[in-house]
């Protein structure tokens, strides 16, 4: 197996304050990897830094064997790395169909190919809302639309930032099934989560992040078995 | 009744051209958040290019319409080129810097147009097949008016289809809301912005070309139009194309009704005298009732500022005190060093430094952006002018009338302005400046109209260049020190709290609005003092002192110096006014050189001159 996404010695800053310290991440092709940590640990910042959305980052990032450290976000996205932001960032004035259109990119070899119709099968709730403006949807529907919109770019890998946040338990359950379905399609996923139960149901491996440092790197199984580690870095 | 219908048709026809230009401006603003001052210049270029192209192709059907379309495309390309070469480099700079760059373009285009087409007005060619008049309901209506009436809704439809039925349009709408997310979805935002500039500029060019059969191409049409276009865009709601159309209709109808019923009087003021004022009154009324325009979206009040926090204002340290002292010594000794010509240049520079400092106080300390600060400078000048002309007051008394009239103006205008924020606030300040200008321009009995008021000379004791230099210099230096003192007074601190976090300041029990209003009046008073001195320096007062270009001059001075430094206006004001004076005396093409310098400075020093000096000092400081 080859590494789809690789991050070396990643530092990130907001203004003068350093928020990420020498992060090392590796995600293999076809893997679902969880990045777990408490609120404010640096999960979303890591996602944004990988995507090239932060003004000040140091270190090197590789995607599908290419050095993307100096690439602009749109080039990174076009190379097949999709990003689903934590805040969902739906275009509220645009309809569901128009939101999907913004995400549309040409088909890519080695990645599943999506059309609006296929996405409406994956997210049946969205199918009934095609002409609804994004601003008039529930949180769960917006989360689905946000994922669907990113999938329209036919990515080979996606960065999923806290997909379960603020959703009703029944929707969280549905979301987990969807992510498993994506995994079956062959998608590589880096998933950030506060909800360890949700992450455990999906991920093969996990990184634990705290105060901008990686504190654990191993299989999901070994994280679940290490009571002390969870107490120290994850429990509230 | 027939007469009214005829007036309505004329109004709707003249709304079309206004709408075309305004739609371009509103589209550019909606996506890039740039207020494009050069939009009137693009309109002017469209008119001149169309005249030349139609002339080249011959006036036939193909020649006329081919010329119009080519002119539109050419102006679109010019807009795109400007975006690629200049604006693209400064999107990260503080807001308003892009505005400076577009103003640089205004100056350059004025000179280039003069160079290519010469100073005389060019009569517009007739549209073949659309000449003459036709009968409708027994009324004679020019055929071209009917064409214009139909043309604007057609453009509106095409734009609607473009934004709702094409991928490009959908991307533009998405980028209007969240540029970064669009980028993260793989869209190259750079070309999207360039495309928007192309479209917006092309619409302005089309507006210029299409009005030719009813008018001409002249060198004043750029700034003449831009104020009206701003009004239309703001009344309609920034970013709303349909709103722009409705507002263009409203404004045009009111203007036509006032012009064609010129003989009517309201309370002793003739209708024609209100033609210019009316437009801005409508805008002020609309903004008070609906602060986001007819069809605009309410701006979400956010307490989170993007980007880096404002640098903190620091009280003068030892270095600054010494530098200030040295500067004072130089100023005192200046009459022994330079001749009387340069001494009057220096007097003017000092006056503009005070003017710039009053704007900096409003913007930097108060967080209130004003596009119309010349209003208070001009009111100060007219305060002096009216006192001298109508009451024959001496300078000692008349100079008190300057801050008084400016202060009263700021008190009235400010009451409205502090109720708005962001770009709507900026536009309302511009509108009030234009109201003041229109009154000065059209109320001839009181103000002398375009000719202004002449014969304003200082008394004998202050009439020599040296003495007036000392008088004006002393007043300006005292004014500067007062403004500086105010910035560090409890009032100044409260003002800054309201600037940085209005919601939190409000929650602390500070009446932010009242503090802003007071700051507005203070800034007006000091600008008025500068204006009063300027009147005595020049010996006359004219509507120029209230003009948009003077308001922009003030903005350039402040932005060059750096908004967040109290010393900035001293650099910016002195440099800009001396530079302008020197360039005017050196060359006829001073505008384009000044414009190029502005563009170059903005691209090279996006923090302003004082900001650049500060960061240099910071870098030296850390390396030590």
């Amino acid at each position: 197996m080859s590494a789809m996404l690789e991050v070396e010695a990643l530092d990130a800053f907001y203004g003068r304050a350093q928020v990420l310290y020498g992060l090392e991440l590796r995600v293999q092709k076809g893997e679902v990897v969880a990045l777990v940590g408490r609120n404010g640990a640096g999960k979303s910042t890591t996602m944004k830094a990988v995507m090239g959305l932060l003004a000040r980052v140091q270190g090197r990032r590789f995607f599908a064997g290419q050095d993307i450290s100096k690439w602009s976000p749109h080039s990174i996205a076009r190379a097949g790395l999709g990003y689903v932001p934590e805040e969902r960032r739906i275009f509220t004035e645009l309809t569901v169909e128009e939101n999907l259109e913004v995400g549309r990119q040409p088909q890519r070899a080695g990645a599943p190919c999506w059309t609006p119709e296929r996405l409406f099968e994956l997210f049946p709730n969205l199918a009934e809302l095609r002409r609804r403006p994004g601003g008039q949807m529930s949180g769960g529907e917006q989360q689905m639309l946000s994922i669907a919109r990113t999938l329209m770019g036919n990515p080979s890998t996606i960065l999923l930032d806290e997909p379960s946040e603020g959703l009703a338990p029944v929707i969280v359950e549905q979301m987990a099934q969807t992510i498993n379905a994506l995994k079956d399609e062959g998608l590589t996923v880096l998933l950030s989560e506060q909800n360890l139960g949700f992450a455990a149901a999906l991920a093969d491996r996990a990184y634990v992040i705290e105060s901008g440092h990686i504190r654990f790197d191993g299989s999901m199984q070994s994280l679940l078995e290490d009571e002390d580690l969870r107490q120290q870095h994850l429990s509230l | 009744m027939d007469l009214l219908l005829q007036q309505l048709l004329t109004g709707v026809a003249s709304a079309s051209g206004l709408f075309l230009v305004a739609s371009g401006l509103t589209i550019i603003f909606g996506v890039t958040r740039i207020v494009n001052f050069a939009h009137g210049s693009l309109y002017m270029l469209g008119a001149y290019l169309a005249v030349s192209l139609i002339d080249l192709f011959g006036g036939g059907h193909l020649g006329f319409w081919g010329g119009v379309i080519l002119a539109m495309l050419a102006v679109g390309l010019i807009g795109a080129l400007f975006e690629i070469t200049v604006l693209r480099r400064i999107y990260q700079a503080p807001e308003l810097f892009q505005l400076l760059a577009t103003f640089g373009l205004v100056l350059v285009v004025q000179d280039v147009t003069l160079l290519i087409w010469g100073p005389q007005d060019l009569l517009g060619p007739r549209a073949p097949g659309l000449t003459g008049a036709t009968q409708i309901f027994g009324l004679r209506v020019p055929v071209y008016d009917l064409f214009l009436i139909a043309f604007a809704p057609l453009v509106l439809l095409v734009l609607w289809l473009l934004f709702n039925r094409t991928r490009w349009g959908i991307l533009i709408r998405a980028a209007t809301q969240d540029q970064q997310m669009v980028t993260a979805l793989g869209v190259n935002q750079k070309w999207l912005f360039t495309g928007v500039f192309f479209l917006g500029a092309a619409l302005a060019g089309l507006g210029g070309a299409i009005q030719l059969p009813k008018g001409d191409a002249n060198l004043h049409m750029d700034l003449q139009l831009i104020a009206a276009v701003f009004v239309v865009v703001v009344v309609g709601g920034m970013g709303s194309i349909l709103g722009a159309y409705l507002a263009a209709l409203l404004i045009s109808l009111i203007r036509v009704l006032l012009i064609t019923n010129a003989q009517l009087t309201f309370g002793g003021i003739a209708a024609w005298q209100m033609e210019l004022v009316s437009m801005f009154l409508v805008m002020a009324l609309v903004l008070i009732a609906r602060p986001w325009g007819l069809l605009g979206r309410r701006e979400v009040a956010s307490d989170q500022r993007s980007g880096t926090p404002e640098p903190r204002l620091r009280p003068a340290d030892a270095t600054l005190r010494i530098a200030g002292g040295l500067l004072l010594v130089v100023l005192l000794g200046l009459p022994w060093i330079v001749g009387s010509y340069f001494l009057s240049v220096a007097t003017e520079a000092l006056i503009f430094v005070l003017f710039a400092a009053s704007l900096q106080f409003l913007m930097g300390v108060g967080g209130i952006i004003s596009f119309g600060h010349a209003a208070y400078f001009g009111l100060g000048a007219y305060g002096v002018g009216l006192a001298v002309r109508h009451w024959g007051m001496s300078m000692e008394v008349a100079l008190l009338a300057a801050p008084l009239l400016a202060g009263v103006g700021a008190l009235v205008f400010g009451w409205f302005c502090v109720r708005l924020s962001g770009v709507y606030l900026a536009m309302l300040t511009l509108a009030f400046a234009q109201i003041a200008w229109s009154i000065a321009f059209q109320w001839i009995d009181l103000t002398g109209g375009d000719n202004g008021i002449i014969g304003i000379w200082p008394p004998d004791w202050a009439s020599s260049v040296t003495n007036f230099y000392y008088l004006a210099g002393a007043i300006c230096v005292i004014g500067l020190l007062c403004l500086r003192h105010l910035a560090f007074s409890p009032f100044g601190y409260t003002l800054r709290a309201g600037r940085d976090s209005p919601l939190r300041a409000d929650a602390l029990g500070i009446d932010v609005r009242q503090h802003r209003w007071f700051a507005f009046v203070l800034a007006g008073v000091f600008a008025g003092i500068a204006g009063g001195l300027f009147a005595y320096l020049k010996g006359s007062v004219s509507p120029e002192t209230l003009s948009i270009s003077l308001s922009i001059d003030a903005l350039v001075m402040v932005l060059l110096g750096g908004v967040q430094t109290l010393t900035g206006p001293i650099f910016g004001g002195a440099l800009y006014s001396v530079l302008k004076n020197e360039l005017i005396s050196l060359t006829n093409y001073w505008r384009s050189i000044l414009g190029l310098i502005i563009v170059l400075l903005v691209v090279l020093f996006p923090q302003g001159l004082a900001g650049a000096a500060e960061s240099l000092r910071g870098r030296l400081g850390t390396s030590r």
Side-chain angles (χ1 to χ4, degrees):
Chain A
M1 279 210 298
S2 59
M4 219 40 207
L5 181 68
E6 221 176 334
V7 169
E8 287 176 2
L10 183 72
D11 292 339
F13 304 81
Y14 284 126
R16 280 181 195 163
Q18 187 165 1
V19 284
L20 296 182
Y21 300 85
L23 253 56
E24 306 274 340
L25 295 172
R26 250 175 100 85
V27 185
Q28 307 288 348
K29 190 168 168 42
E31 242 187 340
V32 175
V33 173
L35 180 66
V36 290
R38 294 189 185 110
N39 205 0
K43 300 188 295 296
S44 292
T45 307
T46 307
M47 298 291 203
K48 284 181 188 154
V50 170
M51 205 58 205
L53 295 172
L54 292 186
R56 263 193 83 191
V57 280
Q58 289 161 5
R60 302 220 290 169
R61 286 131 49 213
F62 297 90
F63 178 66
Q66 285 174 293
D67 187 343
I68 58 166
S69 311
K70 295 203 161 60
W71 290 19
S72 66
H74 82 267
S75 309
I76 295 175
R78 281 191 189 177
L81 182 59
Y83 169 59
V84 183
E86 183 187 7
E87 318 86 348
R88 293 154 199 162
R89 293 169 80 166
I90 292 302
F91 303 114
T92 50
E93 304 281 316
L94 272 56
T95 64
V96 168
E97 279 179 337
E98 288 173 335
N99 267 282
L100 294 180
E101 175 61 29
V102 176
R104 184 167 64 82
Q105 290 291 332
Q107 195 188 342
R108 174 174 295 109
C113 174
W114 299 95
T115 60
E117 293 316 312
R118 275 198 71 204
L119 287 167
F120 289 141
E121 279 169 32
L122 188 65
F123 301 102
N125 306 30
L126 294 183
E128 294 151 30
L129 308 171
R130 289 164 190 247
R131 304 202 178 257
R132 171 95 52 102
Q136 296 172 21
M137 298 167 74
S138 72
E141 288 160 356
Q142 285 195 348
Q143 183 65 61
M144 290 173 198
L145 178 55
S146 183
I147 296 175
R149 184 179 63 181
T150 299
L151 290 177
M152 279 298 285
N154 299 316
S156 59
T157 302
I158 55 171
L159 307 174
L160 258 180
D161 200 357
E162 301 224 31
S164 77
E165 192 195 19
L167 299 184
V170 57
I171 309 284
V172 172
E173 183 62 32
Q174 209 179 334
M175 197 59 76
Q177 281 170 14
T178 308
I179 295 168
N180 266 324
L182 293 178
K183 188 185 175 187
D184 293 342
E185 291 264 354
L187 215 62
T188 308
V189 180
L190 176 62
L191 168 81
S192 92
E193 262 308 327
Q194 266 187 81
N195 179 344
L196 185 62
F198 182 79
L202 296 168
D204 315 304
R205 279 192 313 115
Y207 289 94
V208 174
I209 184 170
E210 193 213 32
S211 311
H213 296 270
I214 294 289
R215 303 293 189 191
F216 169 87
D217 165 10
S219 72
M220 197 40 128
Q221 195 58 37
S222 56
L223 173 61
L224 292 173
E225 284 162 4
D226 192 337
E227 183 92 19
D228 288 349
L229 187 82
R230 273 160 40 212
Q231 279 295 330
Q232 201 183 340
H233 299 302
L234 296 175
S235 66
L236 295 172
Chain B
M1 191 60 216
D2 282 357
L3 190 66
L4 187 69
L5 188 65
Q6 192 141 30
Q7 290 171 6
L8 284 180
L9 287 174
T10 312
V12 176
S14 75
S16 293
L18 198 54
F19 160 68
L20 284 181
V21 186
S23 66
L25 187 72
T26 214
I27 290 168
I28 289 177
F29 176 82
V31 180
T32 63
R33 300 277 131 185
I34 291 177
V35 179
N36 181 19
F37 257 98
H39 216 66
S41 310
L42 296 169
Y43 162 81
M44 179 170 79
L45 279 178
Y48 273 99
L49 280 170
V51 169
S52 292
L53 286 169
I54 293 167
D55 195 41
L56 188 72
F57 298 155
H61 279 277
L62 205 63
F64 182 85
W65 295 110
V68 167
I69 289 171
L70 265 186
M72 171 181 97
L73 295 177
V75 174
L77 283 179
I78 292 168
L81 202 68
F82 178 65
E83 196 276 340
I84 294 172
T85 51
V86 177
L87 293 177
R88 206 178 257 191
R89 296 165 200 281
I90 52 172
Y91 282 125
Q92 304 306 323
E95 58 172 354
L96 289 184
F97 268 77
Q98 299 90 354
L99 182 120
L100 268 195
T102 65
F103 182 64
L105 183 63
V106 170
L107 296 174
V108 172
V109 169
Q110 271 176 354
D111 269 0
V112 171
T113 313
L114 176 67
L115 190 70
I116 297 178
W117 285 284
Q120 69 278 23
D121 296 359
L122 302 181
L123 196 65
R126 293 302 187 84
L130 296 174
T131 52
T134 185
Q135 295 279 332
I136 294 181
F137 306 122
L139 292 173
R140 271 179 63 81
V141 181
V143 177
Y144 197 72
D145 273 10
L146 291 180
F147 162 75
L148 284 179
I149 289 171
F151 189 64
L154 195 71
V155 171
L156 195 60
L157 181 70
V158 169
L159 288 177
W160 187 86
L161 288 173
L162 181 66
F163 281 108
N164 289 282
R165 291 288 180 269
T166 69
R167 172 173 170 82
W168 188 80
I170 291 171
L171 292 180
I172 293 293
R173 280 161 60 217
T176 305
Q177 185 184 346
D178 189 342
Q179 290 164 23
Q180 198 188 47
M181 194 61 226
V182 172
T183 312
L185 288 168
V187 178
N188 190 345
Q189 181 193 314
K190 276 185 188 169
W191 291 109
L192 215 53
F193 275 30
T194 307
V196 164
F197 250 85
F198 176 83
L199 176 66
L203 284 166
L206 180 62
I210 212 84
Q211 60 84 41
L212 281 175
K214 295 195 72 181
D216 58 8
N218 65 64
L219 286 170
H220 306 291
M221 59 198 290
D222 53 348
L223 286 182
Q224 241 165 37
L225 185 84
I226 195 72
V229 169
F230 278 165
V231 169
V232 165
V233 166
V234 166
V235 168
M238 302 289 288
S240 166
I241 301 172
L242 183 61
Y245 183 58
L246 296 179
L249 277 181
L250 182 70
I251 300 289
S252 299
L253 286 175
I254 292 175
R255 291 182 71 170
V256 166
L257 289 179
L258 288 173
I259 293 175
T260 48
N261 300 299
Q263 70 289 355
L264 292 182
T265 58
F266 303 89
I269 302 168
W272 68 269
Q273 284 182 310
M274 293 190 295
E275 181 243 322
L276 290 172
V277 177
S278 70
M279 176 162 79
F280 299 103
L281 284 179
V282 169
M283 169 169 162
L285 287 177
V286 168
L287 284 187
I288 289 156
R290 284 183 68 87
W292 50 93
L294 292 176
L295 297 182
R297 230 167 292 131
R298 192 191 291 255
E299 277 180 57
V300 185
S302 126
D303 221 26
Q304 273 178 350
R305 305 188 131 229
S306 54
T308 48
E310 313 283 7
R312 209 158 57 84
L313 293 177
R314 283 183 300 260
D317 56 15
T319 332
L320 189 63
R321 277 165 200 275
I322 292 168
L326 280 176
L327 186 64
L328 210 56
V329 171
V330 172
L331 285 177
L332 284 170
L334 205 59
W336 283 278
I337 307 170
V338 300
S340 66
Y341 166 71
F342 191 81
L343 205 55
S344 68
V345 171
T347 314
E348 190 173 323
L350 280 166
I351 290 171
F352 279 118
V353 165
L354 179 62
F355 179 39
S358 71
L359 180 59
Q360 192 274 335
F361 180 77
L362 194 61
M363 288 172 62
V365 183
I368 301 167
I369 296 164
S370 174
F371 282 6
H373 206 51
Y376 314 101
F377 186 84
L379 281 176
Y382 272 96
V384 164
L386 295 175
V388 170
R389 178 177 166 177
H390 293 280
W391 292 290
M393 285 183 190
S394 66
M395 183 184 80
E396 293 83 346
V397 188
L399 267 183
L400 291 177
L404 192 70
L405 188 62
V408 170
L411 198 70
V412 176
F413 294 161
W415 187 85
F416 296 101
C417 290
V418 297
R419 264 140 240 273
L420 299 181
S421 63
V423 68
Y424 287 96
L425 163 72
M427 290 297 170
L428 192 63
T429 56
L430 180 85
F432 281 127
Q434 283 304 101
I435 289 179
W437 179 84
S438 315
I439 293 173
F441 193 75
Q442 288 189 321
W443 199 355
I444 296 168
D445 297 342
L446 183 73
T447 62
D450 199 14
N451 296 326
I453 301 166
I454 52 170
I456 302 166
W457 298 111
D460 288 343
W461 66 266
S463 63
S464 77
V465 175
T466 308
N467 286 4
F468 191 73
Y469 164 78
Y470 278 128
L471 174 73
I475 294 175
C476 290
V477 168
I478 292 169
L480 283 177
L481 290 175
C482 282
L483 283 170
R484 193 176 175 89
H485 181 76
L486 279 166
F488 292 107
S489 69
F491 172 71
Y493 284 112
T494 320
L495 211 53
R496 278 188 260 167
R499 171 198 75 192
D500 290 341
S501 183
L503 293 181
R504 187 168 297 184
D506 210 28
L508 284 171
I510 296 170
D511 190 340
V512 176
R513 200 177 268 182
Q514 200 170 33
H515 277 81
R516 285 191 174 167
W517 191 23
F518 193 40
F520 207 91
V521 175
L522 276 173
V525 164
F526 283 99
I529 294 172
L533 290 172
F534 188 73
Y536 276 105
L537 177 72
K538 295 290 171 189
S540 65
V541 180
S542 77
E544 277 289 285
T545 56
L546 293 155
S547 64
I548 294 183
S549 54
L550 188 66
S551 288
I552 299 174
D553 280 353
L555 272 176
V556 175
M557 291 175 207
V558 171
L559 292 174
L560 278 185
V563 179
Q564 286 305 329
T565 54
L566 292 172
T567 42
I570 300 175
F571 286 100
L575 185 82
Y576 186 77
S577 78
V578 171
L579 191 70
K580 194 171 169 178
N581 259 314
E582 287 303 299
L583 282 175
I584 289 175
S585 66
L586 279 177
T587 159
N588 279 331
Y589 293 103
W590 61 273
R591 284 187 193 84
S592 52
I593 295 174
L594 193 64
L596 285 174
I597 290 175
I598 291 174
V599 170
L600 214 62
L601 284 177
V602 167
V603 172
L604 293 180
F605 304 110
Q607 300 299 326
L609 291 182
E614 201 119 305
S615 75
L616 186 70
R617 202 165 68 170
R619 233 174 294 158
L620 293 177
T622 48
S623 66
R624 234 182 283 149

